[in-house]
Amino acid sequence: MQRGCILLSTVCLTLLGSAAQLGALPKTNLQTQIADRSATPGHHHSPGASHRSGSLSDDHEHGSLEVPTDQPIPTVNLIVHPDSRRGWNLEVQVTNFRFAPERVNQASSSTNEGHAHLYVNGVKQTRLYGNWYYLESLPPGKHQITVSLNANGHEALMHNGQPIQATVEIAVPVAVD
């Protein structure tokens, strides 16, 4: 019986077996710096106006922060582990970056510390202050899970003009009784 499917680009790993077996299956991941293609080029706000929907393309209300060429470039790797009961355990691996929840909302003085933003299908779900997050449930269908790295002041961290983020697509099957 098919229980789940995790898609990476065009590669699909079909997870077979009972829910108890899912925890023993191999993890899957996708490396960093996948650019957000949904933002409208040249899109700007008038003074005082901003998006409030919480979508990935709306994150520019906080601005962006380019990593200087003389500093190590942060990376993020997102690994989706199917939970043995239900949902998914998201593992966020970072290099050249430190989660700094004690400094959130402060002026950004470094491009190598801050927090992450978690998006499902382009809609912001929450901030991440560490390497693990439990995603309880998603409706049947394909879903893109994205984690972006952000500075303490919420600016999206950028390298060569592209956001530093990782995206994994998962397919949630229709429940079979």
Side-chain angles (χ1 to χ4, degrees):
M1 170 173 60
Q2 183 173 341
R3 299 293 292 188
C5 180
I6 298 175
L7 298 175
L8 298 177
S9 299
T10 58
V11 178
C12 177
L13 169 64
T14 302
L15 305 177
L16 301 174
S18 69
Q21 293 172 313
L22 288 177
L25 290 172
K27 55 190 174 184
T28 60
N29 65 64
L30 184 62
Q31 192 58 36
T32 59
Q33 299 173 342
I34 298 172
D36 170 29
R37 308 273 186 234
S38 62
T40 305
H43 179 86
H44 299 285
H45 293 285
S46 58
S50 66
H51 291 287
R52 296 288 178 215
S53 66
S55 71
L56 187 59
S57 61
D58 296 343
D59 219 24
H60 66 272
E61 81 178 66
H62 294 297
S64 61
L65 190 58
E66 185 75 25
V67 178
T69 57
D70 63 339
Q71 290 187 9
I73 307 302
T75 64
V76 61
N77 188 38
L78 176 59
I79 303 170
V80 176
H81 302 272
D83 189 85
S84 62
R85 292 184 183 243
R86 67 181 250 186
W88 298 268
N89 295 302
L90 308 181
E91 181 180 359
V92 180
Q93 298 176 338
V94 295
T95 61
N96 301 316
F97 185 83
R98 181 181 79 82
F99 287 102
E102 72 281 2
R103 294 175 47 86
V104 72
N105 300 322
Q106 296 180 12
S108 300
S109 59
S110 171
T111 56
N112 296 104
E113 72 171 23
H115 60 280
H117 289 175
L118 172 65
Y119 299 87
V120 175
N121 299 324
V123 177
K124 184 176 173 185
Q125 303 297 306
T126 191
R127 296 179 197 162
L128 301 178
Y129 296 120
N131 299 93
W132 288 91
Y133 182 79
Y134 174 66
L135 185 60
E136 186 172 353
S137 64
L138 292 169
K142 291 182 181 179
H143 301 280
Q144 285 192 344
I145 301 171
T146 299
V147 173
S148 66
L149 295 185
N150 299 78
N152 292 316
H154 301 279
E155 301 92 344
L157 293 180
M158 309 285 278
H159 175 63
N160 292 330
Q162 299 298 313
I164 300 174
Q165 60 187 30
T167 298
V168 172
E169 186 175 82
I170 63 171
V172 179
V174 176
V176 179
D177 294 327

